[in-house]
Amino acid sequence: DQQVKQNSPSLSVQEGRISILNCDYTNSMFDYFLWYKKYPAEGPTFLISISSIKDKNEDGRFTVFLNKSAKHLSLHIVPSQPGDSAVYFCAAIWNTGNQFYFGTGTSLTVIP
Amino acid sequence: ETGVTQSPTHLIKTRGQQVTLRCSSQSGHNTVSWYQQALGQGPQFIFQYYREEENGRGNFPPRFSGLQFPNYSSELNVNALELDDSALYLCASSRGRAGANVLTFGAGSRLTVL
């Protein structure tokens, strides 16, 4: 039962352009969402989060958008840089929950 | 600030054997969670430990067990290993046990079961 889904296994983008990574969820109880970035041989590192009371959160080149009615969130990276090449996981949790539900990840390649 | 460290980084076992994986949490964090990441999948929640007690378990059988110690470090034990247990095991620590507490992950222990 995959409650968080990332339907694009991979994405390639030219350096300087926008990268858009998508994530869908099925459980309407989720009220906190995060994006993690993972390089090979390293653990996932936290990138950005958003609460369900917001529809947008921005941190430098990274912006996360949340559409609760569509149960959809997206991560925008502008401008994309080669160092952004990694696997990106979205994750969700509800306020009193103790487990994060992760998507299967999207491998982003930024081409110089 | 010391991050999350895990050991060993890689190990190979055979079916039926037992394995113990270890994790030191980040300083200031009192909660440890373990996740299994199979090839091509996202991390799956195994269980969480808070104040040395299990505080929630995912869909994993009882042969997966754990411990948390007074210094907040933790162990994951897997008995009667099966081929499907081959995966990356991730330990994550956090300041609290629920909700919007960001997980800080270690680099993982890669287990191969032959």
Side-chain angles (χ1 to χ4, degrees):
Chain A
D1 179 23
Q2 191 73 25
Q3 299 192 44
V4 177
K5 299 176 184 178
Q6 294 176 258
N7 293 318
S8 297
S10 62
L11 175 69
S12 291
V13 171
Q14 288 290 127
E15 181 179 2
R17 307 293 288 268
I18 184 171
S19 295
I20 300 176
L21 294 91
N22 294 304
C23 179
D24 297 293
Y25 61 96
T26 58
N27 192 333
S28 57
M29 288 183 64
F30 290 144
D31 50 20
Y32 188 60
F33 304 87
L34 303 87
W35 285 93
Y36 279 85
K37 178 170 71 173
K38 187 179 187 301
Y39 293 117
E42 295 183 13
T45 55
F46 170 72
L47 191 57
I48 191 169
S49 64
I50 188 167
S51 165
S52 61
I53 62 173
K54 295 185 175 182
D55 54 18
K56 176 183 174 181
N57 188 27
E58 194 170 354
D59 183 2
R61 297 186 297 114
F62 303 92
T63 303
V64 56
F65 295 91
L66 175 62
N67 182 333
K68 289 187 293 293
S69 61
K71 294 190 179 68
H72 176 83
L73 66 155
S74 61
L75 174 67
H76 293 210
I77 306 173
V78 183
S80 301
Q81 299 174 354
D84 296 329
S85 297
V87 178
Y88 289 78
F89 293 97
C90 66
I93 194 170
W94 56 83
N95 196 36
T96 57
N98 54 18
Q99 67 167 295
F100 283 88
Y101 292 84
F102 285 83
T104 52
T106 296
S107 178
L108 173 66
T109 302
V110 180
I111 303 164
Chain B
E1 185 176 75
T2 309
V4 176
T5 58
Q6 293 186 241
S7 63
T9 54
H10 295 84
L11 67 168
I12 300 173
K13 294 284 188 178
T14 56
R15 274 187 305 173
Q17 285 189 312
Q18 178 266 345
V19 68
T20 297
L21 307 178
R22 295 178 175 84
C23 171
S24 295
S25 60
Q26 180 168 305
S27 60
H29 288 185
N30 59 11
T31 302
V32 172
S33 302
W34 287 90
Y35 285 79
Q36 180 197 65
Q37 185 180 8
L39 198 62
Q41 301 297 314
Q44 298 284 320
F45 177 73
I46 303 175
F47 43 54
Q48 182 185 82
Y49 276 83
Y50 174 73
R51 290 187 176 178
E52 302 177 52
E53 292 192 358
E54 188 178 291
N55 180 53
R57 169 180 283 262
N59 190 26
F60 283 83
R63 59 189 185 83
F64 285 77
S65 63
L67 287 171
Q68 186 183 33
F69 301 100
N71 65 353
Y72 307 123
S73 65
S74 178
E75 286 182 358
L76 165 65
N77 299 289
V78 187
N79 294 321
L81 284 167
E82 300 177 358
L83 297 180
D84 284 349
D85 296 332
S86 295
L88 179 67
Y89 288 85
L90 294 164
C91 172
S93 68
S94 56
R95 292 188 186 278
R97 54 181 169 161
N101 285 294
V102 173
L103 299 177
T104 300
F105 283 92
S109 294
R110 172 77 60 188
L111 171 64
T112 301
V113 182
L114 302 176

